Amino acid sequence: MTVFVIRRLMQSLLVLAATAVIVFVGVYAIGDPAEMLIAPDATPAERAQVEASLGLDKPLPVQFLAFLGNALKGDLGRSFVFNQPSISLILERLPATLELALVAILIALVIGIPLGLIAGLRPRSVVDETIMTGSILGFSLPNFWQGMMLVMIFSVWLGWLPSSGRGPTGQILGIETSFASWEGIRHLILPAVALGLVSSALIMRFTRASMLDVLGDDYVRTARAKGLGEQAVILRHALKNALIPILTVLGLTAAVLVSGAVVTETVFGLPGVGNLVVSAVLRRDYPVIQGALLVIAGLYVLINFAIDMLYLLVDPRVRY
């Protein structure tokens, strides 16, 4: 078990290191950061002064080591536009993104696992075909289109839910959150549904496939032969052993929801990290882009590491 944990931890660190390289190099692929801070008619001396103040006059390896060292200390640079530390801007927007991702994954689980389980228990039936057709449709339609349709139906036509914004927030355990008020929750429903529907389709298909794999195994037939009820066979034996691939796709889905909130936050006007990234890209605010991508990558790695640790609880073979 110790070797498994150490191996996964080393892999996570390697992913973060590779991400730091890609983020650093990506800024130079977009353009010269100094261009944002100098006038078009600036003299070479003025340009050199700006480059020296940003450390851009040094060789790229030296710049990268400085960038990496500052990132390890929590310094992700200073926003060109807001003239604030990038990390403070990101942390200010992060709760809205995490709220959206959390509710979206709950919606995806509530829809995906039960429907996938039903489809797996009735393969090639009308119920199975209907559920799988719905999953293909949900997976194929882009979430921004689904978001716009949800706004059209539930905000414009029915007037049940707000169409944009985060709504009022409050304090829960010292954390600013929309869950503190019903109005804040109402603002969260439509974007979370739009983001969660796509993921529910993927979870649904993996749950069905996993159940079909395990239902024909010997231990399931043995459990039935011993006289166990069908509910006990499904929940205590089949579903538990089908959880490994479901956990894998759940980890990928949760991580994608955090990073994929960019489009959804833009459509619904949520003040999250995704919206901040879009604004930073349009304004070429490179420190904010770098910092946000590193934070998103860190969350991605953290979520997948947590899922790997769950394997230890679900599958005893991993522990041994």
Side-chain angles (χ1 to χ4, degrees):
M1 182 176 73
T2 304
V3 174
F4 176 81
V5 174
I6 293 175
R7 187 186 299 125
R8 290 295 185 267
L9 184 59
M10 295 302 297
Q11 290 174 351
S12 300
L13 293 176
L14 286 175
V15 170
L16 285 177
T19 302
V21 174
I22 294 171
V23 167
F24 178 79
V25 174
V27 166
Y28 289 90
I30 297 174
D32 187 354
E35 294 290 342
M36 280 296 296
L37 301 179
I38 60 175
D41 57 347
T43 64
E46 291 172 335
R47 181 185 181 87
Q49 183 180 1
V50 171
E51 289 180 344
S53 66
L54 296 175
L56 300 177
D57 57 336
K58 300 175 182 177
L60 277 180
V62 176
Q63 292 184 42
F64 174 72
L65 290 177
F67 167 75
L68 188 60
N70 290 333
L72 291 174
K73 293 185 293 185
D75 181 5
L76 300 179
R78 196 171 188 86
S79 169
F80 295 161
V81 176
F82 298 100
N83 195 29
Q84 292 179 239
S86 298
I87 187 64
S88 65
L89 292 171
I90 295 167
L91 292 179
E92 182 182 330
R93 304 287 191 97
L94 190 58
T97 298
L98 294 180
E99 287 172 359
L100 175 61
L102 176 61
V103 178
I105 194 63
L106 290 176
I107 291 173
L109 288 174
V110 169
I111 296 175
I113 290 182
L115 290 182
L117 185 60
I118 293 170
L121 294 175
R122 302 179 180 179
R124 292 176 294 278
S125 65
V126 175
V127 174
D128 179 32
E129 295 295 333
T130 302
I131 292 175
M132 287 301 98
T133 301
S135 72
I136 294 173
L137 186 63
F139 193 71
S140 302
L141 297 175
N143 60 355
F144 71 86
W145 183 87
Q146 295 184 36
M148 291 188 292
M149 292 300 100
L150 289 172
V151 168
M152 182 67 68
I153 296 171
F154 293 100
S155 296
V156 178
W157 292 350
L158 299 176
W160 290 353
L161 296 168
S163 61
S164 63
R166 190 183 181 192
T169 61
Q171 295 282 335
I172 296 181
L173 299 177
I175 301 174
E176 193 77 18
T177 174
S178 299
F179 298 133
S181 68
W182 170 240
E183 190 61 28
I185 295 174
R186 290 181 70 248
H187 279 78
L188 196 57
I189 292 174
L190 287 185
V193 170
L195 194 58
L197 283 178
V198 176
S199 299
S200 69
L202 186 61
I203 293 174
M204 195 184 306
R205 296 185 69 84
F206 268 82
T207 303
R208 175 186 182 274
S210 298
M211 289 301 299
L212 289 176
D213 285 341
V214 302
L215 284 175
D217 288 346
D218 292 338
Y219 64 87
V220 174
R221 287 194 293 268
T222 302
R224 284 172 172 159
K226 289 167 62 178
L228 288 179
E230 190 65 15
Q231 183 176 352
V233 171
I234 298 301
L235 298 180
R236 288 170 50 191
H237 295 274
L239 183 58
K240 183 177 180 180
N241 286 278
L243 278 179
I244 291 294
I246 296 174
L247 281 177
T248 301
V249 73
L250 176 60
L252 294 173
T253 299
V256 168
L257 286 177
V258 173
S259 57
V262 173
V263 175
T264 305
E265 288 178 1
T266 303
V267 170
F268 288 93
L270 287 173
V273 175
N275 211 330
L276 179 65
V277 170
V278 172
S279 175
V281 169
L282 294 176
R283 299 174 177 180
R284 297 176 69 183
D285 196 350
Y286 298 126
V288 174
I289 298 172
Q290 287 179 317
L293 292 179
L294 281 178
V295 170
I296 291 173
L299 290 173
Y300 193 101
V301 169
L302 182 62
I303 291 171
N304 280 283
F305 182 76
I307 293 297
D308 286 340
M309 295 304 100
L310 285 178
Y311 291 158
L312 299 174
L313 299 176
V314 175
D315 192 348
R317 293 171 296 182
V318 177
R319 293 197 294 270
Y320 301 113

